[in-house]
């Protein structure tokens, strides 16, 4: 059974098409990242799943129940982006309020609230009014309120927004622990480095359409690019290698390193042989890995290049009004 | 670890404790509303003002005048005869009897006294030669006391309406008080008045003018037209009609030296608290609560709430009830507090003033439903506040217009009511929430709780009592549709 499933999901806000036929599936126990530019429709997708906005067309379900079902929300924890907690609450009383809404019993709340706040590192300030919290503290509180009722699915919209590097690391570790325990996590983030570190699968949304989807390994797999470097003083035989059928180009700003791109079915073996027989000494050989950021950039650039550029000049924040 | 019930395939968690959860959610939202209310300063200003009012009430002192003086003030009023229940509502004034209280002494929980009635002999219509010659006739005579009792016992005859200026108005529907035209009784009829009837009459007068229960026995001393009665009253001095010296600020200011306790309490409760205090409380209540729903619907807050496992309609209705509870508590604190200190200070424990608590809350419920409706559509506290306060004001003005139109109709019973009266005022009154009737409900309760029947007769214009079902039914209908539309809109909107 899929934890989250959408099929040909459409959402239009008046004339704005926020989602245009998104189909994705998240399995139990995964950490799933949803990427995309501003205005790509990430938040919209999450809001549909939680019943905060209604879908225009298509299907969306959580635990096989239609999105927006009241009962199923008990199994979901949610951290919205741009949240504004009622600031007459203290961290503790807010957790207590939300916990009651989730149906957590009083005894359980008394135990879990301090524990959860401890986990996100703000237990020391839990009896202070939220209006005295810093941005990052509020964000941590937001994560805590999404976790306290031990939901099967945790949906986080930009969880590390405003959190310091230490905090981000703690949150990453927390997510790893949660995953260990069998929780499913669905998150939006612009911090690709982090997503790469923790997510099992990612999807990239581009103007309301799903353009890439897969495991991190699948997405970042390179076509086969190696960086080679020779002992200083030796000259790289560019022409000879090109003749073998490899694309070669120097790596800018490096100590004379060259990049060799393999074609399908090729290995680096012939190049190595050539270099050894030519009496050259290889000091540096690295298989180049694409970062998620590279993937994201190329995907986004490649998506609808012309249209996207023009649009972005006219409407800097992705098609919003 | 995930709860096994959740991980079981098939979606929704076990609903065995569904009802319990709803109750828990309800109280969570109430508690949240409470936190929100006590977070602002307005509530403290309001509670502070209530506390000041309670303190002022507590600073009042009600000192009963000594029994001798009290009865001397009460019994002369017996010339005014106010009919009992079931008889005509006409009053009658007898002015030829002198009522005197003497030998007042405490007895048990009440008082013992001698009541002397000095009546005026009524000259018989038949010619009496002995009397004409200046002698003392043996013929039975009538007197003003006997005829008063006879009139009191009999069904009232003709009445006239006396308007506020004391003029007789022939028109039956005019504003004013019905006064009985004295029926003449023959000597024989007057002689037929028994001691028992006289005793009953006086007993009734103690109830009417002082709200005192008494046993009255005619004593054989005194010769007609002087009558003597032995009276024993029960209950102490804390009764509606007992004159009291009323002081404010622990005796620093004198409000009245010698005014009936009930009348003073009526003035305080009806005029000062129910009218001004009630309006003020409603106003502040609306201001404070008008923020509840717009705050809940604020961007960034609303997603957090509606992503919880509570349906949106429930959220909204619970929040609405939260506002009502808040208002109920504030009203209960203020009205209850004032009632309690007044009762302690005066010794007069009549609960009718407490009716103001539920009725004010109900009035608020109507206005708050409109505030909720406005808030769900506009998400603006200012709009909610202005529209609900504006509507309250409109209802008040409309109520005044309706009252004016009604009395106009009564005064001109022969002229056709105008189109405006029939189709705007009357239809409007039938269709709109009945805030004026709710107000009258409180006022009636207060006056019947504090005023003696005779004072009520003189001070309060009797009006047709509107049916409770109509008053509450129509108002409930408005609350229901306004909440219904709010829930419908809130449930289908994207946030
Ligand atoms: N309530 C709304 N009314 C109208 N348009 C909306 C609304 N919410 C979102 N949109 C539009 O839908 C599109 C998708 O918005 P969404 O918030 O889903 O983007 P996002 O991917 O979360 O962006 P970001 O990275 O900036 O958070 C945007 O064009 C946005 O302007
Ligand atoms: Mg977003």
């Amino acid at each position: 059974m899929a934890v989250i499933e959408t099929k040909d999901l459409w959402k239009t806000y008046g004339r704005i098409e926020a989602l245009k036929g998104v189909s994705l599936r998240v399995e139990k126990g995964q950490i799933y990242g949803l990427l995309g530019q501003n205005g790509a429709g990430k938040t919209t997708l999450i809001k549909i799943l939680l019943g905060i906005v209604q879908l225009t067309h298509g299907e969306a379900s959580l635990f096989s129940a239609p999105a927006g079902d009241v009962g199923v929300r008990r199994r979901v924890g949610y951290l919205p982006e741009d949240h504004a907690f009622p600031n007459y609450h203290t961290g503790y009383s807010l957790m207590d309020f939300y916990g009651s809404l989730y149906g957590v019993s009083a005894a359980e709340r008394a135990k879990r609230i301090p524990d959860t706040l401890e986990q996100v590192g703000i237990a020391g300030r839990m009896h202070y009014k939220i209006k005295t919290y810093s941005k990052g503290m509020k964000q941590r509180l937001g994560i805590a309120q999404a976790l306290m009722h031990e939901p099967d699915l945790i949906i986080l919209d930009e969880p590390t927004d405003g959190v310091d590097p230490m905090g981000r690391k703690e949150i990453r570790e927390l997510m790893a622990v949660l995953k260990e325990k069998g929780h499913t996590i669905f998150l939006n983030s612009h911090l690709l480095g982090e997503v790469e570190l923790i997510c099992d699968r990612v999807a990239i949304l581009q103007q309301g359409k799903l353009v890439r989807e897969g495991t991190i390994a699948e997405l970042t797999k390179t076509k086969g690019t190696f960086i080679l470097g020779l002992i200083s003083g030796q000259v790289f035989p560019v022409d000879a290698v090109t003749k073998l059928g490899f694309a070669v180009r120097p790596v800018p700003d490096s100590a004379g390193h060259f990049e060799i791109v393999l074609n399908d079915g090729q290995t680096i073996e012939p190049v190595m042989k050539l270099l050894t027989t030519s009496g050259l000494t290889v000091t540096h050989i690295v298989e180049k890995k694409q970062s998620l950021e590279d993937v994201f950039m190329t995907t986004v650039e490649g998506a609808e290049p012309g249209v996207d550029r023009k649009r972005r000049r006219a409407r800097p924040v992705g098609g919003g009004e | 670890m995930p709860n096994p019930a959740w991980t079981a395939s098939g979606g929704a968690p076990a609903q065995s404790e569904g009802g319990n959860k709803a109750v828990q959610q309800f109280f969570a939202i109430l508690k949240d509303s409470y936190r929100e209310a006590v977070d602002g300063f307005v509530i403290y200003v309001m509670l502070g003002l209530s506390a000041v009012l309670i303190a002022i009430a507590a600073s009042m002192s009600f000192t009963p005048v000594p029994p001798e003086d009290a009865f001397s003030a009460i019994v002369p009023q017996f010339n005014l005869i106010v009919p009992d229940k079931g008889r005509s509502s006409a009053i009658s004034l007898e002015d030829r009897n002198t009522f005197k209280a003497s030998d007042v002494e405490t007895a048990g929980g009440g008082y013992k006294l001698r009541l002397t009635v000095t009546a005026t002999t009524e000259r018989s219509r038949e010619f009496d030669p002995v009397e004409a010659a200046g002698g003392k006739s043996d013929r039975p005579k009538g007197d003003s006391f006997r005829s008063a009792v006879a009139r009191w016992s009999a069904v009232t005859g003709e009445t006239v309406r006396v308007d506020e200026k004391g003029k007789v108005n022939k028109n039956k529907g005019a504003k004013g008080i019905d006064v009985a035209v004295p029926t003449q009784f023959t000597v024989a009829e007057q002689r037929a008045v028994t001691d028992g009837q006289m005793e009953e009459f006086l007993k009734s007068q103690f109830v009417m003018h002082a709200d005192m229960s008494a046993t009255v026995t005619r004593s054989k001393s005194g010769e007609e037209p002087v009558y003597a009665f032995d009276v024993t009253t029960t209950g102490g001095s804390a009764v509606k009609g007992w004159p009291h010296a009323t002081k404010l600020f622990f005796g620093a200011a004198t409000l009245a030296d010698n005014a009936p306790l009930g009348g003073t309490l009526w003035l305080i409760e009806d005029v000062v608290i129910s009218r001004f205090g009630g309006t003020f409380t409603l106003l502040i209540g609306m201001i404070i609560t008008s923020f509840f729903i717009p705050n809940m619907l604020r961007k960034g807050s609303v997603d957090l709430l509606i992503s919880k496992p509570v349906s949106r309609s429930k959220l909204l209705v619970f929040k609405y009830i939260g506002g009502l509870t808040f208002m109920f508590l504030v009203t209960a604190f203020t009205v209850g507090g004032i009632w309690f200190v007044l009762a302690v200070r005066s010794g007069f424990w009549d609960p009718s003033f407490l009716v103001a608590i539920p009725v004010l809350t109900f009035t608020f419920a109507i206005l708050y439903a409109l505030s909720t409706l406005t808030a769900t559509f506009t998400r603006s506290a200012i709009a909610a506040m202005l529209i609900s306060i504006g509507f309250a004001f409109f209802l008040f003005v409309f109520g005044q217009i309706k009252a004016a139109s009604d009395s106009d109709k009564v005064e001109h019973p022969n002229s056709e009511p105008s189109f405006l009266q029939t189709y705007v005022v009357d239809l409007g009154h039938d269709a709109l929430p009945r805030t004026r009737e709710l107000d009258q409900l409180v006022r009636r309760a207060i006056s019947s709780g504090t005023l003696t029947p005779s004072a009520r007769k003189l001070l309060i214009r009797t009006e047709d009592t509107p049916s409770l079902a109509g008053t509450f039914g129509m108002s409930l209908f408005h609350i229901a549709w306004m909440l219904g539309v709010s829930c419908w809109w809130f449930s289908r909107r994207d946030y």
Side-chain angles (χ1 to χ4, degrees):
Chain A
M1 180 191 60
V3 174
I4 297 175
E5 187 161 23
T6 71
K7 283 186 193 142
D8 192 27
L9 186 61
W10 285 75
K11 174 68 194 179
T12 50
Y13 293 106
R15 279 171 40 238
I16 299 169
E17 291 185 318
L19 292 178
K20 299 181 245 184
V22 175
S23 304
L24 57 79
R25 193 182 157 90
V26 178
E27 301 291 342
K28 181 169 171 351
Q30 286 181 342
I31 300 186
Y32 197 102
L34 186 61
L35 314 179
Q37 290 169 283
N38 293 135
K42 307 180 295 292
T43 300
T44 302
L45 179 71
I46 286 182
K47 285 185 170 178
I48 289 174
L49 293 176
L50 287 157
I52 297 167
V53 302
Q54 280 165 13
L55 53 84
T56 309
H57 178 74
E59 279 174 40
S61 61
L62 292 179
F63 302 102
S64 309
D69 180 88
V70 173
V72 85
R73 292 207 287 253
R74 212 182 286 284
R75 306 174 65 183
V76 183
Y78 170 50
L79 167 74
E81 65 175 358
D82 292 335
H83 43 75
F85 297 119
N87 55 19
Y88 46 84
H89 274 289
T90 63
Y92 188 94
S93 71
L94 183 86
M95 295 278 282
D96 193 56
F97 174 41
Y98 289 165
S100 313
L101 293 184
Y102 274 121
V104 181
S105 71
E108 278 289 293
R109 292 200 301 274
K111 196 163 71 68
R112 284 195 210 163
I113 294 171
D115 286 355
T116 319
L117 291 175
E118 185 73 55
Q119 274 182 307
V120 298
I122 53 168
R125 289 285 290 276
M126 67 185 178
H127 292 298
Y128 285 67
K129 283 268 168 76
I130 293 176
K131 54 188 159 201
T132 68
Y133 286 14
S134 73
K135 179 173 165 157
M137 290 169 74
K138 285 184 204 159
Q139 188 68 13
R140 289 162 187 246
L141 175 62
I143 293 172
Q145 61 85 33
L147 303 181
M148 71 161 299
H149 58 295
E150 307 228 310
D152 293 340
L153 169 64
I154 301 160
I155 298 181
L156 306 167
D157 201 341
E158 303 190 22
T160 50
D161 184 31
V163 178
D164 59 50
M166 267 307 285
R168 290 212 292 271
K169 184 158 174 281
E170 285 163 24
I171 291 171
R172 279 203 302 274
E173 286 164 4
L174 181 60
M175 286 190 212
V177 171
L178 290 167
K179 179 188 148 128
E180 198 98 308
K181 286 192 187 168
H183 299 263
T184 309
I185 301 174
F186 186 85
L187 60 92
N188 274 356
S189 181
H190 292 298
L191 300 173
L192 301 172
E194 285 186 357
V195 171
E196 191 170 359
L197 283 175
I198 54 167
C199 287
D200 300 311
R201 284 185 89 85
V202 294
I204 300 176
L205 269 183
Q206 167 77 1
Q207 294 181 348
K209 283 191 186 134
L210 200 64
V211 289
R212 299 282 304 263
E213 208 269 347
T215 62
I216 297 274
E218 280 164 15
L219 292 185
T220 56
K221 203 174 79 186
T222 51
K223 293 184 214 103
T225 303
F226 285 84
I227 312 273
L228 291 181
L230 301 178
I231 203 161
S232 66
Q234 295 184 343
V235 178
F236 197 85
V238 177
D239 292 346
V241 175
T242 313
K243 251 186 226 141
L244 284 175
F246 293 94
V248 183
R249 60 184 187 92
V251 178
D253 307 324
S254 66
H257 292 174
F258 280 80
E259 192 180 276
I260 290 110
V261 182
L262 277 61
N263 293 320
D264 283 347
Q266 282 181 322
T267 64
I268 193 73
E269 198 55 36
V271 179
M272 296 306 287
K273 232 178 222 157
L274 175 89
L275 292 177
T276 347
T277 48
S278 314
L280 298 167
T281 317
V282 178
T283 55
H284 180 94
I285 173 164
V286 174
E287 184 175 13
K288 191 177 163 192
K289 227 181 141 242
Q290 233 181 332
S291 70
L292 189 58
E293 182 161 339
D294 299 331
V295 177
F296 182 77
M297 289 306 170
T298 45
T299 309
V300 165
E301 297 264 298
E304 290 170 326
V307 182
D308 188 43
R309 287 254 162 67
K310 257 185 240 150
R311 276 246 196 108
R312 291 182 65 178
R313 213 159 289 143
R315 291 190 281 185
V317 184
E321 312 255 290
Chain B
M1 282 303 288
N3 185 324
W6 300 351
T7 34
S9 63
Q15 287 289 306
S16 55
E17 297 172 74
N20 249 342
K21 296 257 148 85
V23 171
Q24 174 174 331
Q25 290 170 337
F26 174 68
F27 281 106
I29 290 171
L30 275 196
K31 206 164 142 192
D32 178 61
S33 302
Y34 162 78
R35 276 184 182 281
E36 183 168 11
V38 299
D39 187 57
F41 72 98
V42 190
I43 177 75
Y44 295 103
V45 172
M46 185 162 180
L47 290 178
L49 282 173
S50 297
V52 168
L53 272 181
I54 294 172
I56 292 176
S59 83
M60 296 188 77
S61 60
F62 301 89
T63 321
V65 304
E68 191 88 33
D69 298 346
F71 282 104
S72 302
I74 292 167
V75 297
Q77 299 170 37
F78 288 4
N79 270 321
L80 174 71
I81 300 173
V82 176
D84 256 330
K85 288 189 200 97
R87 301 200 189 156
S88 149
S89 61
I91 60 164
S92 56
L93 270 168
E94 309 283 339
D95 55 1
R96 291 170 305 150
N97 301 314
T98 314
F99 294 87
K100 266 213 175 76
S102 57
D103 307 332
V104 182
E105 56 189 82
T106 40
Y111 301 91
K112 243 190 156 118
L113 61 125
R114 160 66 55 99
L115 175 63
T116 321
V117 186
T118 313
T120 316
T121 308
E122 282 183 355
R123 198 184 287 263
S124 168
R125 300 229 181 102
E126 299 142 50
F127 179 72
D128 186 335
V130 183
E131 218 159 54
K136 206 164 180 313
S137 163
D138 295 340
R139 281 211 205 172
K141 290 189 190 65
D143 63 55
S144 54
F145 184 60
R146 282 183 175 276
S147 60
V149 176
R151 272 198 282 276
W152 173 80
S153 315
V155 176
T156 315
E158 201 188 329
T159 64
V160 289
R161 187 148 288 194
V162 176
D163 67 17
E164 280 142 8
K165 293 182 199 101
K167 287 206 189 103
V168 171
N169 193 325
K170 287 271 142 52
N171 203 324
K172 268 279 165 204
K175 278 188 203 168
I177 300 168
D178 284 331
V179 176
V181 176
T183 324
Q184 296 304 326
F185 289 96
T186 63
V187 172
E189 282 166 329
Q190 292 184 24
R191 297 306 315 171
V193 169
T194 61
D195 288 358
Q197 279 175 316
M198 291 179 197
E199 287 161 4
E200 274 305 303
F201 166 74
L202 290 171
K203 199 173 137 124
S204 142
Q205 289 296 68
F206 273 103
V207 172
M208 289 294 151
H209 293 280
D211 205 28
M212 233 181 234
S213 57
T215 50
V216 183
T217 326
R218 184 166 179 198
S219 130
K220 285 300 160 199
S221 67
E223 201 174 318
E224 294 183 28
V226 176
Y227 300 80
F229 298 90
D230 289 320
V231 179
T232 315
T233 67
T234 55
S237 58
V239 290
K240 292 173 181 174
W242 195 289
H244 280 63
T246 311
K247 292 200 166 121
L248 196 56
F249 304 127
F250 301 102
T254 303
L255 291 183
D257 281 327
N258 195 347
L261 178 62
T264 310
L265 289 176
W266 174 74
L267 266 180
I268 297 170
E269 292 176 359
D270 181 87
V271 181
V272 182
I273 296 165
S274 166
R275 320 232 82 191
F276 293 101
T279 311
F280 180 78
T281 313
L282 275 180
L283 202 72
I284 302 278
M286 274 192 283
I287 291 173
I288 296 178
T289 54
S290 67
F291 285 91
F292 284 8
I293 286 164
N295 274 352
M296 176 175 102
L297 298 181
R298 242 184 16 213
K299 204 170 153 31
S301 275
V302 66
D303 346 16
L304 278 164
L305 269 182
I306 59 189
S307 64
K308 304 288 178 274
V310 190
S311 78
R312 294 193 193 180
S313 302
K314 247 194 212 168
L315 268 179
L316 194 69
V317 171
F318 286 179
K319 199 80 189 166
Y320 170 81
I321 297 176
L324 289 195
T325 312
F326 164 77
M327 185 65 186
F328 173 78
L329 293 178
V330 169
T331 319
F333 171 69
T334 314
V335 172
I338 292 174
W339 174 80
F340 181 76
V341 297
L342 283 180
V344 167
R345 298 291 288 171
S346 66
F348 184 74
W349 294 83
D350 177 84
S352 50
F353 182 36
L354 297 177
V355 167
I357 299 173
V359 176
L360 264 180
T361 309
F362 187 75
T363 308
F364 176 77
I366 303 168
L367 300 172
Y368 194 46
L370 179 64
S371 175
T372 302
L373 180 67
T374 316
T376 41
F377 276 86
T378 64
R379 300 211 245 168
S380 152
I382 302 291
M385 200 187 297
L386 289 181
I387 289 188
S388 54
I389 292 175
F391 186 63
F393 183 71
F394 165 77
L395 285 179
F396 169 76
V397 172
F398 190 87
Q400 299 303 108
I401 294 173
K402 164 75 177 159
S405 156
D406 282 353
S407 61
D408 177 67
K409 268 195 237 163
V410 169
E411 271 162 50
H412 306 101
N414 301 324
S415 61
E416 273 286 294
S418 71
F419 176 84
L420 218 62
Q421 278 177 324
T422 319
Y423 291 100
V424 179
V425 179
D426 289 354
L427 265 184
H429 171 263
D430 288 344
L432 287 168
R434 313 275 172 84
T435 45
R436 181 164 170 269
E437 288 176 4
L438 288 170
D439 181 47
Q440 284 173 326
L441 196 71
V442 176
R443 304 195 62 200
R444 257 200 311 280
I446 293 176
S447 67
S448 71
T450 53
L451 293 178
T452 58
S454 66
R456 199 156 75 239
K457 187 82 212 163
L458 293 175
L459 287 170
I460 310 289
R461 192 152 66 87
T462 40
E463 286 183 58
D464 293 340
T465 316
S467 81
L468 279 186
T471 307
F472 284 95
M474 202 59 206
S475 306
L476 273 175
F477 165 75
H478 282 282
I479 292 173
W481 81 256
M482 288 192 279
L483 283 186
V485 172
S486 306
C487 285
W488 167 77
W489 180 248
F490 180 49
S491 296
R492 62 187 291 280
R493 253 200 74 123
D494 286 346
Y495 287 96

